[in-house]
Amino acid sequence: MDPSTAALVLIDLQAHFGAAAMGLAPRLARLAAAARAAGVPVTWTQHGHPDPAADASTSNLVRWWGPENSIAVGSPAWALVPGLGVEEGDAILDEKRTYDAFHGTRLAGLLAERARSAVVIGGVMTELCCETTARAAFVRGLDVVFLSDGTATDDPAHHRASLAALGFGFATIASCAEVEAAWGGKAPR
């Protein structure tokens, strides 16, 4: 969680994910502000497909969930939820098309440009995009911190299972308050 080597990666906090994303907004906005104050770059992702019906022929994800349940780029469901406090200096990766935030995006390049060797991951959905991105980061040689209360999903059992699996072999599990304290913010609550 060293601020000189860490990057904060906040995944898919979009209207499509409703209450899961909205519930995280205040906590992650506070953590993003603490990150910026400590010199930690903040990256947001937006998942979407230019044409979900057409993408079904090339996207496993669209085939799995169906075009009707996929997020169309530019649609109201694609928008980031209000209250996140996204700032001009933050990176927004709106080219994300699958669970892994590294695949087909600028994320690896941004981390390399900023000499970042660790990622702190938050967002939705815990067991899908967040977990897949955490595993991908680990395989790429990055240190991973996964936010226990800065990730969310619709099923608490899935959330707990992801935290257990990631904590066993891929990531340090930490709360937002613990990360904020490590970055010189407030003490854990």
Side-chain angles (χ1 to χ4, degrees), residues 71-174:
I71 306 167
V73 171
S75 70
W78 184 70
L80 293 173
V81 296
L84 294 173
V86 177
E87 292 192 2
E88 189 174 323
D90 297 349
I92 299 177
L93 304 181
D94 60 5
E95 66 270 18
K96 183 176 169 290
R97 306 282 181 259
T98 190
Y99 297 135
D100 178 359
F102 287 94
H103 183 79
T105 73
R106 300 169 284 133
L107 182 55
L110 286 173
L111 295 173
E113 285 171 20
R114 296 172 174 160
R116 301 296 157 156
S117 59
V119 291
V120 175
I121 294 175
V124 294
M125 304 290 274
T126 306
E127 77 278 33
L128 296 173
C129 296
C130 296
E131 182 174 343
T132 302
T133 300
R135 289 172 182 258
F138 180 87
V139 170
R140 290 173 176 270
L142 298 167
D143 292 324
V144 181
V145 175
F146 198 84
L147 297 171
S148 59
D149 62 348
T151 54
T153 192
D154 294 333
D155 186 330
H158 288 177
H159 182 77
R160 288 188 305 271
S162 286
L163 294 178
L166 288 169
F168 180 73
F170 297 93
T172 298
I173 307 301

Side-chain angles (χ1 to χ4, degrees), residues 46-96:
Q46 271 180 286
H47 180 94
H49 302 274
D51 182 348
D55 290 349
S57 64
T58 59
S59 171
N60 284 346
L61 192 140
V62 173
R63 282 195 300 277
W64 184 268
W65 295 106
E68 69 282 1
N69 295 314
S70 299
I71 306 167
V73 171
S75 70
W78 184 70
L80 293 173
V81 296
L84 294 173
V86 177
E87 292 192 2
E88 189 174 323
D90 297 349
I92 299 177
L93 304 181
D94 60 5
E95 66 270 18
K96 183 176 169 290

Side-chain angles (χ1 to χ4, degrees), residues 10-35:
L10 300 171
I11 298 175
D12 301 348
L13 292 151
Q14 296 166 257
H16 178 83
F17 299 107
M22 288 297 298
L24 292 174
R27 186 177 300 122
L28 293 179
R30 191 170 47 251
L31 184 59

